[in-house]
Amino acid sequence: MYGTIQVRLNVPDPVRDYLVYQCQQANKLINCATYIARQLHFEQSPKKTFFVADEFRVGRSLGRVKTAGYYDLWHELKENPHYVALGGQPAQQVLKGVAESFSSYNALLKLFFAGEGEKPRLPGYRSKDGLAPITYPAQHLKFNLETGECRLPVSNEVKGDLRSDFDISEIWINGCYSIKPEQIKEVRILPKNQTLYAEYVYEFGNDGPTCALGLDPHQALGIDHGLGNWLTCVSTLGKSFLIDGAQVKSANQWYNKRIAELKTGQPQGYWSPELARITEERNCFMRDAVNKTARFIVNHCLENRIGVIVFGWNKGQKNGINLGSQNNQSVVQVPTGRLKERLRELCAVHGIQYIETEESYTSQSSFLDGDLLPTFGEKPKSWKPSGKRITRGQYKTAQGFLINADCNGA
């Protein structure tokens, strides 16, 4: 099992300039590899004339991309200046990433022909002046245990330029804590919103997280997600708690308001350092909220020996949603999906069974009256709920009990 620790880089300007330069080279190498793969594919799939609906149309027939493997791309680009600038393993990792994107396209195309998905699009090009992540495998990394720093490898072809252009001889970045150097498998340099991060990918060792002992598989925690109450959690032990969503909603509203102010009167696609700064600030806040919320829920299960988490979720529920502009903004931008996946990951680490189930009709059915929960689209014509939701947050059962509507759903 693998984990990732993300660290914001705090490095001298020459080191930062070098890493930005390398990210630029990675971006250009990706575009070069994508161009070669696409052109070779087009040569093998020439345009043809089709007769459709009494009209002649020109296009290419759909087919697998056969010449976008790693070795095909490496053979074409091993002398490319961007490949040489990146050097060695980082450049190889970039080409492997492009090859994997075309392999994914082929797999999606197979599903499309089988009628199990939408028509895929060929991998496209990245922004011309953009930055792309760089991956450094662990073999050539060096760690200073006294300072907690990590040294990134520099190829022989680049060492001369490193000294002449950036006036440095080695690339040291701030490391991470709580894991041993031998656990690290690779380090990724990730550019986001004019900020550089290092992602340390590591393997859980003997000192890593282990499955919790003594969990009861007959005890469960049900989770109902919403807006004001981001998560409502009720367990079979009779305990319940809420995760407040007010701060997450407020952060999103402030972000959208500020974005609108800064983009007023600007052309389409306008971007600035201030936009990048507040976007990164908002993303960090959301990531922190997701991680802390997931950890709080898992800790609650471990403390109470709850062995199962059941999360109510309707797949694709945000697609085409129409709840008004303000509610749409809150529902779509609140990262509940990301929280759900983070919770799934932590459950796998600690041995908690994670179940995702449809949540249709949970706001209408009465839990205390034992109502049946139909699947969406399969509700019997004779089905009627025993109770009803009398206000936004209150549900009335058949016996007249008033309970929290979200707790009833959970």
Side-chain angles (χ1 to χ4, degrees):
M1 188 175 292
Y2 295 90
T4 303
I5 295 179
Q6 190 177 94
V7 180
R8 186 170 183 170
L9 290 185
N10 181 19
V11 294
D13 289 343
V15 174
R16 175 184 171 82
D17 293 342
Y18 170 77
L19 293 176
V20 169
Y21 170 76
Q22 290 293 87
C23 291
Q24 291 173 341
Q25 299 305 308
N27 187 74
K28 294 176 181 178
L29 183 60
I30 290 173
N31 283 340
C32 290
T34 302
Y35 174 81
I36 289 174
R38 288 171 63 97
Q39 294 306 309
L40 290 175
H41 175 63
F42 293 154
E43 291 175 4
Q44 296 175 355
S45 305
K47 289 186 177 181
K48 298 179 180 179
T49 302
F50 300 91
F51 187 70
V52 180
D54 298 331
E55 293 182 1
F56 285 102
R57 299 182 182 179
V58 178
R60 290 186 173 88
S61 57
L62 287 176
R64 295 178 66 253
V65 180
K66 302 176 182 179
T67 53
Y70 164 70
Y71 290 105
D72 298 320
L73 299 176
W74 177 82
H75 181 74
E76 293 287 338
L77 293 168
K78 59 183 178 180
E79 304 297 333
N80 184 280
H82 308 305
Y83 184 98
V84 175
L86 275 175
Q89 291 183 331
Q92 294 171 12
Q93 294 296 323
V94 168
L95 296 185
K96 288 179 181 179
V98 175
E100 288 173 0
S101 68
F102 281 93
S103 296
S104 298
Y105 169 81
N106 289 337
L108 291 173
L109 193 64
K110 184 178 180 180
L111 292 176
F112 172 69
F113 287 140
E116 299 179 8
E118 298 180 357
K119 179 181 176 182
R121 298 178 60 183
L122 272 173
Y125 301 104
R126 296 176 62 90
S127 299
K128 181 179 179 181
D129 299 320
L131 305 178
I134 315 171
T135 301
Y136 295 93
Q139 301 94 294
H140 300 294
L141 298 174
K142 182 178 179 180
F143 298 92
N144 188 324
L145 299 181
E146 294 183 0
T147 63
E149 293 181 313
C150 172
R151 189 188 70 179
L152 302 180
V154 178
S155 65
N156 293 328
E157 295 84 357
V158 180
K159 284 184 178 179
D161 296 334
L162 188 63
R163 294 189 182 93
S164 60
D165 297 342
F166 301 96
D167 195 25
I168 49 178
S169 57
E170 294 181 329
I171 302 299
W172 288 90
I173 63 173
N174 41 301
C176 61
Y177 298 94
S178 74
I179 57 174
K180 298 178 180 179
E182 55 267 24
Q183 292 180 258
I184 295 177
K185 296 302 178 183
E186 66 181 25
V187 174
R188 295 193 290 255
I189 303 300
L190 184 64
K192 293 195 304 182
N193 297 316
Q194 298 185 348
T195 305
L196 293 179
Y197 290 89
E199 290 188 336
Y200 290 85
V201 181
Y202 65 98
E203 185 176 15
F204 293 144
N206 295 331
D207 298 329
T210 57
C211 293
L213 299 177
L215 294 178
D216 188 350
H218 299 98
Q219 303 298 338
L221 180 75
I223 302 179
D224 178 82
H225 70 89
L227 290 178
N229 296 330
W230 192 11
L231 297 182
T232 303
C233 307
V234 179
S235 73
T236 51
L237 297 175
K239 296 182 179 181
S240 62
F241 60 91
L242 303 175
I243 304 295
D244 189 9
Q247 289 187 336
V248 174
K249 286 177 59 179
S250 177
N252 261 328
Q253 290 172 353
W254 177 87
Y255 171 74
N256 289 313
K257 179 180 178 180
R258 187 70 182 129
I259 287 287
E261 291 174 351
L262 293 173
K263 286 192 172 184
T264 300
Q266 301 295 340
Q268 182 73 20
Y270 170 77
W271 198 248
S272 69
E274 177 65 10
L275 286 169
R277 185 190 66 79
I278 63 174
T279 299
E280 186 59 22
E281 182 179 302
R282 180 258 183 192
N283 292 345
C284 288
F285 177 87
M286 293 299 171
R287 183 165 58 247
D288 182 67
V290 165
N291 290 333
K292 287 180 177 177
T293 300
R295 171 52 63 183
F296 180 85
I297 292 172
V298 168
N299 286 347
H300 174 83
C301 292
L302 297 178
E303 292 169 3
N304 294 278
R305 301 178 60 188
I306 297 174
V308 181
I309 289 179
V310 183
F311 199 106
W313 184 261
N314 292 336
K315 187 176 181 181
Q317 59 188 359
K318 292 185 179 182
N319 298 341
I321 192 170
N322 185 18
L323 300 176
S325 59
Q326 292 186 355
N327 285 332
N328 270 5
Q329 187 181 94
S330 298
V331 172
V332 173
Q333 292 190 342
V334 170
T336 307
R338 197 189 315 168
L339 170 59
K340 174 175 66 74
E341 293 306 314
R342 183 58 182 149
L343 191 59
R344 185 201 302 272
E345 294 168 359
L346 289 179
C347 286
V349 169
H350 294 284
I352 300 173
Q353 184 182 2
Y354 177 89
I355 299 174
E356 192 173 302
T357 184
E358 192 188 49
E359 60 168 1
S360 301
Y361 305 106
T362 54
S363 62
Q364 302 177 38
S365 304
S366 173
F367 168 76
L368 294 183
D369 295 316
D371 285 357
L372 170 71
L373 274 179
T375 303
F376 181 75
E378 301 178 6
K379 183 178 68 172
K381 293 183 179 179
S382 60
W383 181 85
K384 289 184 179 180
S386 300
K388 61 180 180 179
R389 194 166 183 167
I390 57 177
T391 63
R392 181 174 180 83
Q394 208 169 43
Y395 189 90
K396 186 176 183 179
T397 67
Q399 288 79 22
F401 295 119
L402 297 179
I403 60 176
N404 181 281
D406 290 334
C407 285
N408 176 68

